[in-house]
Amino acid sequence: MTASITTKSTLISSIISGILSLLIFATLRFYAQWFNDSQLNILFGGYLFSWLFILSLTCISNAEMLIFGPDFQAKLVPEIILCLSLTAAAAGVVHRVCATTSIMFSLVGLYFINRISSKYYNNAVIAVDAPLRKSGKKIQIDCIFNVCKILNYINGKVHCIS
């Protein structure tokens, strides 16, 4: 049941982000003349095109998660570079400064998305180094003692009974 809920939410997220990215692209193309009127409008257009990048990356990444499984992650070379280049090309049609600011805003947004993603989805692995001893029983006792110390440190206890 959990897998079907995850699949449904991934599908819905992919569809919504695809529709919103098409809506943003159509709006920016329709009002292209307005974005060329002043420098502030050009910068605002670059900001909106960075949202086009984020939404298209979300759409592609969720579609790949549907196809390749829930553990699939977007990588730099195929997905991010493709979405960034398509966004820069679309923004370049409106104005070339729009394309430049779009790339900068997109990279800032990508940094914060990566930071949030690593906060919620990366699990820190605690490495325990066991000293090498000749007797196998002593190694097991030392490993258990080290794990006990780590768990008590995480839980807020200061010492471990040896």
Side-chain angles (χ1 to χ4, degrees):
M1 176 148 179
T2 306
S4 66
I5 292 173
T6 305
T7 304
K8 285 182 182 178
S9 63
T10 305
L11 176 66
I12 291 171
S13 174
S14 179
I15 291 171
I16 289 174
S17 60
I19 290 171
L20 285 176
S21 61
L22 288 174
L23 182 71
I24 287 176
F25 177 72
T27 303
L28 289 170
R29 283 295 297 140
F30 187 72
Y31 291 108
Q33 187 60 39
W34 183 81
F35 288 110
N36 288 327
D37 286 344
S38 71
Q39 292 177 352
L40 190 61
N41 291 351
I42 293 171
L43 294 176
F44 182 64
Y47 175 73
L48 290 179
F49 271 110
S50 72
W51 277 103
L52 176 72
F53 164 74
I54 290 170
L55 290 170
S56 62
L57 182 64
T58 303
C59 178
I60 289 174
S61 177
N62 285 340
E64 287 177 341
M65 285 175 60
L66 286 171
I67 295 169
F68 300 121
D71 293 332
F72 192 81
Q73 296 178 352
K75 295 182 181 50
L76 176 68
V77 175
E79 293 92 9
I80 294 174
I81 296 295
L82 174 75
C83 289
L84 191 62
S85 61
L86 289 176
T87 301
V93 171
V94 173
H95 197 278
R96 44 180 199 213
V97 176
C98 231
T100 307
T101 56
S102 165
I103 290 172
M104 290 189 296
F105 284 131
S106 296
L107 292 177
V108 169
L110 188 64
Y111 168 74
F112 284 108
I113 287 173
N114 185 26
R115 204 168 113 185
I116 292 169
S117 175
S118 64
K119 179 181 176 183
Y120 286 106
Y121 294 113
N122 284 352
N123 295 328
V125 177
I126 300 172
V128 177
D129 293 333
L132 296 175
R133 311 256 171 134
K134 291 187 179 183
S135 67
K137 193 167 192 171
K138 186 65 174 171
I139 292 175
Q140 290 176 352
I141 292 171
D142 284 345
C143 286
I144 292 170
F145 182 69
N146 286 338
V147 169
C148 180
K149 284 196 298 188
I150 290 170
L151 290 176
N152 284 334
Y153 177 75
I154 291 171
N155 291 332
K157 296 179 183 175
V158 180
H159 63 282
C160 183
I161 300 171
S162 57

